[in-house]
Amino acid sequence: MNMITIIQKCLQLAPYFLGNPEQEQTEELDTKDLALLNLKRKKGAVIVALGSRDTGKTELCYRLAEFLEKPTYAISPQQKPPSWITWVKLDEIWERVKSGSTLIMDDLPSYMSNRDYNEAVVREIESLIPMVRHEPMPPDLPIGEIHLIFSSQSAAQADRYILDCDAAFLKPLGLLMGDIERPNIAKIYRQLVNPEFDGKDDLWIQKHAYFLSRQYKGLINIEKTN
C-alpha cells in the first residue's frame, strides 16, 4: 500500500474522531489520522484514558472502541455500556473475552484498588496487561492480541504497567488530583494538557481530549457514539 493510499484511508477515518480544532493545520490532521490508523492496525495495544469525572471520559472510550471495529467488552461498574458492547464482570474476563477484541476497563480504581475484590483476580488482570500485544498462549494466558482500554481518574492508583501504553487520551484531572499524580504524568499535564483546557467550559471539555502517541501530540474532537 503506497503512502497516497494510506493517507486517503486516514482521511476516510476522520469522521470517527472529527478532530478539527481551529488551530490545526492540514499537515497536522494527516499526522493525527496516520497515528489513529496505526493504533487501529495493531493486533494489540494498551490505551489509557485519564480525566476527572463528568469530562466525557467514558464516552471517549466507547467512541474509540467503535473506531477500532472489533468485538468489544467492558467492565463498567458505574455506567451500563451501549447495547453493542458486552458487559462483563472482572472475574469473567478469562472465560468470556475473546482474543482479537477490545476490552474497556472503566473506572479503574473502583475495583483494581478495592480490597473487597479477590487479590488473585486483580493479579491476573495485571498479568494480562503486558501480554495484550502477543498471541494467546493457553491455558495460562488464553487471551491475547486485544486492545485494552483503561479509564481512570488518575494514573496514581493504576498499575505501573498501564504506563507502557501505545496511546493516551487525556482530559483535565480533578482540581486536587495533580498533587498526587505520578510525577511524569503530572509533568505532561503541566506542559501539554492543562494549557489546552484552561478556561474552557464543561461542554467543550467533554468534546475534546489530548491525544498522545509516538506520532502525534495534540487536541482531538470526540463525537458521541451511535
Side-chain angles (χ1 to χ4, degrees):
M1 182 181 294
N2 59 38
M3 183 58 66
I4 293 177
T5 302
I6 292 175
I7 292 176
Q8 288 173 338
K9 287 185 176 294
C10 288
L11 295 177
Q12 291 172 358
L13 292 172
Y16 285 99
F17 286 92
L18 299 175
N20 190 23
E22 293 180 0
Q23 71 269 28
E24 288 185 322
Q25 304 296 322
T26 302
E27 61 270 18
E28 292 177 321
L29 286 173
D30 291 346
T31 303
K32 178 191 64 184
D33 289 334
L34 284 169
L36 287 169
L37 179 62
N38 181 59
L39 184 63
K40 181 176 182 177
R41 293 176 65 183
K42 288 179 179 292
K43 291 183 177 180
V46 175
I47 302 167
V48 175
L50 295 181
S52 181
R53 292 186 183 275
D54 301 322
T55 56
K57 190 168 68 270
T58 297
E59 187 65 34
L60 184 158
C61 293
Y62 295 161
R63 191 58 166 167
L64 180 57
E66 188 175 48
F67 167 74
L68 295 173
E69 295 186 303
K70 301 169 75 172
T72 302
Y73 302 82
I75 298 172
S76 185
Q78 303 296 327
Q79 181 175 330
K80 185 176 180 180
S83 59
W84 54 272
I85 295 177
T86 302
W87 183 82
V88 295
K89 296 180 180 179
L90 186 67
D91 57 2
E92 296 176 331
I93 290 178
W94 299 101
E95 62 183 75
R96 298 189 63 186
V97 176
K98 308 299 181 183
S99 295
S101 62
T102 295
L103 173 61
I104 299 171
M105 301 188 73
D106 197 12
D107 204 15
L108 187 65
S110 70
Y111 46 91
M112 291 297 281
S113 60
N114 191 331
R115 294 181 182 274
D116 291 339
Y117 275 94
N118 187 312
E119 289 188 8
V121 173
V122 174
R123 286 197 298 271
E124 286 180 355
I125 302 304
E126 292 174 344
S127 71
L128 169 66
I129 298 171
M131 299 303 299
V132 298
R133 304 175 183 91
H134 305 286
E135 292 183 8
M137 296 183 293
D140 295 332
L141 291 171
I143 305 174
E145 296 185 345
I146 66 172
H147 280 75
L148 186 56
I149 304 175
F150 284 109
S151 174
S152 179
Q153 296 177 54
S154 166
Q157 297 170 288
D159 191 281
R160 67 185 185 278
Y161 285 118
I162 78 166
L163 301 183
D164 181 23
C165 62
D166 300 86
F169 293 84
L170 309 176
K171 287 174 170 287
L173 299 174
L175 292 177
L176 303 180
M177 294 298 286
D179 291 339
I180 66 170
E181 188 53 270
R182 295 174 185 266
N184 56 330
I185 305 297
K187 182 178 179 181
I188 291 173
Y189 267 91
R190 286 195 306 269
Q191 296 182 350
L192 300 176
V193 182
N194 292 342
E196 299 287 0
F197 286 94
D198 286 345
K200 301 299 193 301
D201 61 34
D202 291 345
L203 183 60
W204 193 94
I205 290 173
Q206 290 171 4
K207 292 183 177 181
H208 294 80
Y210 194 93
F211 175 32
L212 181 64
S213 73
R214 295 187 187 278
Q215 295 170 283
Y216 181 82
K217 297 178 182 179
L219 285 176
I220 190 167
N221 284 15
I222 307 298
E223 293 294 319
K224 278 198 169 186
T225 56
N226 295 323

